Amino acid sequence: MKEWLKNLCEKTNMPEEVTEYIMMVGNNRTEMDDGLSVLAARLREAEDTYRIYQKKGISDQIFYDTMACFSRFVKEYKESFGKYGFDRDFWITRQLSGVLFRIGELEYEMVKEQGEDVISVHIPSDAHIDSEHTGQSYLESVDFFARYFPEYHYREYICGSWMLSPALKEILPAESNIIRFQEAYDIYEWDKESDEYKQWIFKDRSLSLEQVPQNTSLQRKAKAYLQAGGLIGEAIGRLKKEYTVVK
């Protein structure tokens, strides 16, 4: 188990400091470790997930790309709080149970929407979301589900994200990758009151508007927009059919 766990950490680019802690802590949860003992326990569960992949014949590449969510989450934690930690235990059951996969730049989850099977698209924080990369990811995902889950008869792709907020068209230039990402979707719901965007734009949703960082152009423009009374929120859209059809 230890050798397999060490290999998993290496293959998913887990920070060395966190890898050392994971190898030391085992399955024991300790107090005040910022969730890293939980991370260690959950990473051990990934060996069972690997068996699911092997049984279906899914490549090691997709397995490690998908499991890299763990290292991404601890890095995001450090970006927010200045130290490594893990606070996404509520989320990673999706990856561990084999219903969410990273295929290229994007993640795809098999979910129910109004009682029907759909594919929910997720945008990892380290994804390249230019049209070339996302377009390739969409097409590869079609092949993936047809090959490994032919019994899953989904009707469409959906995405719920702050990146789909119509407000961003008033903040960002038309040629920005975020706006171009939006163009692939038909928006059908906009929750203007959601504060989900704070985590991804400002890295800490607990900060007041006066406290948010101003290190990037997006942060500065978003703050100015919010100070003027604008609302960002998050939106849900359906991926346009042409993005999942090989031309």
Side-chain angles (χ1 to χ4, degrees):
M1 167 61 82
K2 283 190 174 182
E3 191 60 33
W4 189 89
L5 187 59
K6 184 176 182 181
N7 179 67
L8 176 62
C9 288
E10 290 176 352
K11 293 282 191 180
T12 57
N13 296 311
M14 187 67 70
E16 184 176 350
E17 177 185 333
V18 179
T19 298
E20 291 175 358
Y21 182 86
I22 288 169
M23 300 306 295
M24 174 188 69
V25 74
N27 284 312
N28 299 315
R29 298 191 181 194
T30 59
E31 298 297 325
M32 303 301 290
D33 69 351
D34 298 302
L36 293 180
S37 61
V38 176
L39 172 65
R42 298 295 257 168
L43 282 171
R44 281 167 170 75
E45 295 177 29
E47 187 169 14
D48 291 332
T49 306
Y50 185 59
R51 295 189 184 100
I52 295 174
Y53 278 63
Q54 286 186 309
K55 186 176 180 179
K56 283 190 166 289
I58 301 173
S59 71
D60 283 2
Q61 180 70 55
I62 290 180
F63 173 75
Y64 289 119
D65 285 351
T66 302
M67 294 302 114
C69 65
F70 288 100
S71 57
R72 187 173 76 248
F73 292 157
V74 299
K75 292 170 186 176
E76 290 170 358
Y77 189 99
K78 186 174 184 181
E79 192 170 12
S80 293
F81 305 111
K83 57 183 176 180
Y84 290 120
F86 178 70
D87 59 359
R88 308 290 178 82
D89 194 41
F90 70 93
W91 180 261
I92 46 78
T93 299
R94 297 166 167 85
Q95 285 90 345
L96 291 174
S97 61
V99 298
L100 186 155
F101 305 90
R102 183 159 187 174
I103 304 170
E105 296 299 323
L106 303 172
E107 293 177 330
Y108 301 87
E109 181 184 3
M110 296 181 286
V111 302
K112 290 283 188 182
E113 175 79 3
Q114 297 181 346
E116 295 190 50
D117 293 338
V118 300
I119 301 295
S120 179
V121 180
H122 302 287
I123 313 161
S125 61
D126 61 352
H128 295 92
I129 61 166
D130 59 277
S131 299
E132 180 179 357
H133 282 95
T134 56
Q136 183 64 31
S137 178
Y138 293 139
L139 293 179
E140 288 177 3
S141 75
V142 173
D143 291 338
F144 175 87
F145 287 106
R147 176 177 298 182
Y148 300 113
F149 297 91
E151 73 285 358
Y152 189 72
H153 303 297
Y154 58 93
R155 62 187 176 91
E156 60 189 4
Y157 286 64
I158 63 171
C159 180
S161 173
W162 68 272
M163 285 192 185
L164 295 185
S165 168
L168 295 176
K169 292 181 179 179
E170 300 183 44
I171 298 173
L172 298 171
E175 66 272 15
S176 78
N177 283 331
I178 290 179
I179 299 304
R180 288 178 174 172
F181 181 86
Q182 282 190 10
E183 291 173 352
Y185 290 82
D186 291 318
I187 308 302
Y188 64 89
E189 185 176 320
W190 181 14
D191 179 3
K192 295 182 180 181
E193 301 301 327
S194 171
D195 66 353
E196 186 71 17
Y197 68 89
K198 290 182 179 179
Q199 179 64 40
W200 307 111
I201 296 179
F202 301 118
K203 311 305 178 185
D204 185 347
R205 66 194 306 168
S206 69
L207 298 176
S208 68
L209 191 54
E210 291 70 29
Q211 297 172 314
V212 296
Q214 296 287 272
N215 301 319
T216 68
S217 174
L218 175 57
Q219 288 174 343
R220 292 188 292 272
K221 290 179 178 179
K223 180 177 180 178
Y225 181 79
L226 293 166
Q227 286 178 322
L231 296 172
I232 296 176
E234 62 180 325
I236 304 175
R238 295 183 181 89
L239 184 64
K240 296 174 182 176
K241 295 296 184 182
E242 59 263 33
Y243 288 88
T244 55
V245 176
V246 179
K247 297 180 175 61

